[in-house]
Amino acid sequence: MSRKKIVAGNWKMNTSLQEAKNLVERITEQINEFDDIIKIIIPPFPYLEAVAGLLSNKANFYSGAQNCHTNPGGAFTGEVSANMLSSVGCNYVLIGHSERRQYFKEKDADFVLKIKEALKHNLHPVFCIGETIHERKTDNHFKIVTEQLTNVLNQFSLEEFSRFVLAYEPVWAIGTGETATSKQAQEMHAFIRSVVTDIYDSTIANNVSILYGGSCNAQNARELFACKDVDGGLIGGASLNADDFCKIIFSF
Ligand code: PEP
């Protein structure tokens, strides 16, 4: 993907089917179809097909999944494969979200397998990275983010990486109401580009979209999106309110 402005709404484990449909309708009716911002709606699995259907004729709107399995199929009760996501019209998939790392103990090796599956089925991985509060307070945030990136990206060619989106999500800012300052976000996003340059080259580092996530909302999005290396947001809580989500999209 070349560098694009992106706003993605991660609904997590929220909404009923009817609420999901209403939310999509209330978002899409407010958006000018001629803007060049990529909008990604990431509902719970059961609503993906319905949401993808509602978005299919909306310019620059795409659907995404919150996760996929490491395997292509088989006896993995309760899991969902990348192939299945693709077959219901899904375009993106979150990989490495901090909640998957924290609650489901997912590790770098899992992310590599999941991303390989995602790419095989034409999904864009939105690969999430970010440090905990302890790692930031002990001044280890650059080291941790470097490791998170290197351990996974080293397994992918430049061509494969060109299909990635990255999301910097400091764990201490997710769902806490505490947002990284624009200075902290810019500093880390520029650093991430430098790590990508070291792994691949500066052209691809300049082309990859890097989203900020962590209590981004209608009030702070403008300042965050004004940062040179912030290409948009991965939005949790505020994406469940159509007006707030649209205000975030209007913040570029
Ligand atoms: C997220 O879960 O990716 C996220 C950024 O959540 P919130 O916006 O609620 O902090």
Side-chain angles (χ1 to χ4, degrees):
M1 298 223 355
S2 59
R3 191 161 166 185
K4 296 197 169 73
K5 295 174 188 161
I6 301 175
V7 177
N10 173 17
W11 293 356
K12 310 194 187 192
M13 199 167 71
N14 292 296
T15 75
S16 65
L17 174 60
Q18 195 52 54
E19 286 165 347
K21 288 178 177 172
N22 292 347
L23 195 45
V24 169
E25 212 162 280
R26 297 219 35 235
I27 292 168
T28 52
E29 71 192 9
Q30 294 187 51
I31 300 296
N32 176 347
E33 61 177 308
F34 298 112
D35 78 28
D36 62 350
I37 300 159
I38 303 282
K39 281 84 58 177
I40 310 171
I41 307 287
I42 310 176
F45 285 138
Y47 316 144
L48 248 176
E49 186 177 8
V51 167
L54 290 171
L55 297 176
S56 63
N57 61 350
K58 307 282 177 199
N60 291 328
F61 270 97
Y62 298 92
S63 61
Q66 297 173 18
N67 184 30
C68 71
H69 193 55
T70 51
N71 277 276
F76 299 98
T77 302
E79 293 295 329
V80 173
S81 71
N83 190 22
M84 293 171 183
L85 298 177
S86 198
S87 76
V88 296
C90 178
N91 308 104
Y92 290 81
V93 58
L94 296 182
I95 304 287
H97 190 281
S98 70
E99 287 153 18
R100 300 298 311 177
R101 294 174 189 263
Q102 187 183 348
Y103 303 133
F104 302 94
K105 309 292 173 224
E106 292 186 1
K107 301 275 181 275
D108 297 337
D110 301 307
F111 306 143
V112 170
L113 291 173
K114 287 173 182 227
I115 293 173
K116 292 221 181 262
E117 278 303 307
L119 293 175
K120 216 185 286 173
H121 297 286
N122 292 320
L123 299 168
H124 293 287
V126 180
F127 180 49
C128 307
I129 51 182
E131 80 284 358
T132 63
I133 190 63
H134 176 72
E135 288 158 353
R136 180 162 279 266
K137 283 195 168 151
T138 52
D139 215 14
N140 278 311
H141 44 302
F142 293 118
K143 177 173 167 280
I144 288 297
V145 166
T146 304
E147 284 172 6
Q148 290 173 335
L149 281 168
T150 312
N151 292 348
V152 170
L153 270 46
N154 272 342
Q155 305 301 317
F156 293 93
S157 68
L158 187 148
E159 189 282 321
E160 289 171 318
F161 181 70
S162 69
R163 294 151 68 193
F164 279 49
V165 173
L166 297 177
Y168 169 58
E169 298 207 299
V171 180
W172 46 271
I174 297 180
T176 59
E178 190 181 344
T179 318
T181 63
S182 52
K183 187 165 173 280
Q184 287 171 321
Q186 170 55 30
E187 180 182 46
M188 185 57 91
H189 283 228
F191 177 75
I192 290 168
R193 278 191 217 285
S194 75
V195 176
V196 173
T197 301
D198 290 344
I199 298 172
Y200 300 107
D201 63 34
S202 59
T203 307
I204 194 109
N206 276 321
N207 274 337
V208 65
S209 296
I210 310 178
L211 314 184
Y212 168 79
S215 298
C216 181
N217 58 38
Q219 285 71 47
N220 58 32
R222 190 169 296 278
E223 191 180 335
L224 287 161
F225 294 178
C227 298
K228 183 168 144 289
D229 289 295
V230 176
D231 302 308
L234 177 52
I235 319 296
S239 70
L240 291 166
N241 179 296
D243 293 346
D244 285 351
F245 190 61
C246 290
K247 276 188 201 142
I248 294 171
I249 295 167
F250 300 144
S251 298
F252 282 104

